[in-house]
Amino acid sequence: EHPSRGSPRPRRSPPPSRPVLGARSVPLVARMALPPIFDEALERIFNNWTTLALAVDQAWGGPHSRDKRYLLQEEVVQYLIAGSKKRRPLSHDNRDDVEALAVMMYTRLDELFNCETDDGSDEEVAHLCLRLINTCRAGDLSFAQEFLQRAPTAPADLSKSQGQTKMEYATEEDALLDKMHGMTIDDAIGEGGSSEGSDDELGEGAALPPPLSTAPLAPVHEGAETAGVEEAPELASKGRGSKVAEEPVIDEDGFETVVKGRRKK
């Protein structure tokens, strides 16, 4: 019979999540006859997983981060149930079984939240989940009860925890291209070390280059043979009609230039 209108419907634990775009579908496995304390203890395990709580709190998985958290928990439940029905059920005392579940959760954290667990918490959570289902299947509820008494109901203070952003590149060329992306010409010149400094870079009190020499140029005599230098008109006009002690002029080839005197008419 269908439930009548207005009658309360049974609630699932954990609550069903909304569909997540791009999420991997969970294979449906018939739930075993597990006591309700199993779901309660498993919920507490995931609530106290600091890495997962950070991923949800800081929305590493986007706007559906909370839905992805429940999706991961349901995938672990299905994994545990399927493993318990094997000819050799999964065991928390088997190192390979613990590592296999840890790898599964590590991979799904990367796919759902783009984060990695380098603190070994994935193996710790995997061991707790396997021990929980093993004891509950055997009818021993002491571990689940003890865990609920010791574990806090709320996650740890996330303000004391902090994720670390790490960028990895497949090749050195990819890292170089990413570094050059968006770099301006001024940034490139600054990193390359320009030989020309701006006025701001000199600052107050900085040593300035020495001024150019103000010594007078040597007079150019009329009729003198110069190497490609034309005679300045003003200097030539001043030199006419005045006797100046003439000194030998040595050209660039080391020869002395003979200056001819002007005869008086």
Side-chain angles (χ1 to χ4, degrees):
E1 297 180 358
H2 296 283
S4 60
R5 293 184 179 180
S7 60
R9 296 183 179 180
R11 296 184 58 187
R12 295 179 56 188
S13 179
S17 59
R18 296 189 300 270
V20 180
L21 296 177
R24 187 175 63 182
S25 59
V26 183
L28 297 178
V29 180
R31 293 292 295 261
M32 300 174 56
L34 294 172
I37 196 174
F38 169 80
D39 291 325
E40 185 180 356
L42 188 68
E43 177 79 9
R44 190 75 61 87
I45 290 175
F46 277 79
N47 281 344
N48 287 275
W49 192 359
T50 305
T51 302
L52 183 59
L54 274 174
V56 175
D57 181 72
Q58 300 184 10
W60 294 349
H64 300 291
S65 295
R66 188 167 300 277
D67 292 337
K68 292 181 179 181
R69 173 247 188 264
Y70 285 110
L71 175 65
L72 175 61
Q73 181 174 333
E74 183 62 26
E75 289 179 356
V76 172
V77 171
Q78 297 294 325
Y79 183 96
L80 295 173
I81 294 176
S84 63
K85 293 182 177 182
K86 294 181 178 180
R87 180 175 299 180
R88 184 193 67 81
L90 301 179
S91 173
H92 61 280
D93 293 326
N94 189 299
R95 180 66 180 174
D96 294 336
D97 293 344
V98 175
E99 288 186 355
L101 179 56
V103 169
M104 175 265 188
M105 292 189 294
Y106 182 96
T107 304
R108 291 301 286 153
L109 276 175
D110 187 19
E111 294 173 352
L112 295 174
F113 301 99
N114 195 25
C115 69
E116 299 177 354
T117 55
D118 297 331
D119 55 354
S121 60
D122 51 345
E123 294 188 4
E124 182 180 355
V125 173
H127 182 271
L128 289 174
C129 292
L130 287 172
R131 185 176 180 183
L132 178 63
I133 193 171
N134 289 338
T135 54
C136 288
R137 283 183 64 250
D140 182 9
L141 306 182
S142 59
F143 173 74
Q145 293 171 351
E146 181 183 359
F147 179 80
L148 290 174
Q149 292 176 358
R150 292 187 294 106
T153 56
D157 186 5
L158 299 180
S159 61
K160 298 180 181 179
S161 303
Q162 185 175 347
Q164 181 180 4
T165 303
K166 181 175 61 175
M167 186 71 68
E168 295 181 354
Y169 300 94
T171 61
E172 296 182 358
E173 289 78 7
D174 294 340
L176 181 60
L177 290 175
D178 185 67
K179 183 179 179 181
M180 295 177 62
H181 179 69
M183 181 183 293
T184 62
I185 298 179
D186 294 338
D187 296 335
I189 294 177
E191 292 185 2
S194 174
S195 59
E196 297 181 1
S198 61
D199 296 338
D200 296 337
E201 294 176 354
L202 292 175
E204 297 182 0
L208 297 176
L212 298 175
S213 175
T214 58
L217 298 175
V220 179
H221 302 285
E222 182 182 0
E225 298 179 2
T226 57
V229 178
E230 297 182 358
E231 181 182 7
E234 60 274 13
L235 294 179
S237 60
K238 292 182 180 179
R240 293 188 180 98
S242 59
K243 289 186 177 181
V244 181
E246 298 178 354
E247 297 180 359
V249 180
I250 307 300
D251 60 8
E252 57 184 4
D253 295 329
F255 295 97
E256 180 178 353
T257 302
V258 179
V259 180
K260 297 181 181 181
R262 177 177 295 181
R263 294 182 181 180
K264 295 182 180 180
K265 294 181 180 181

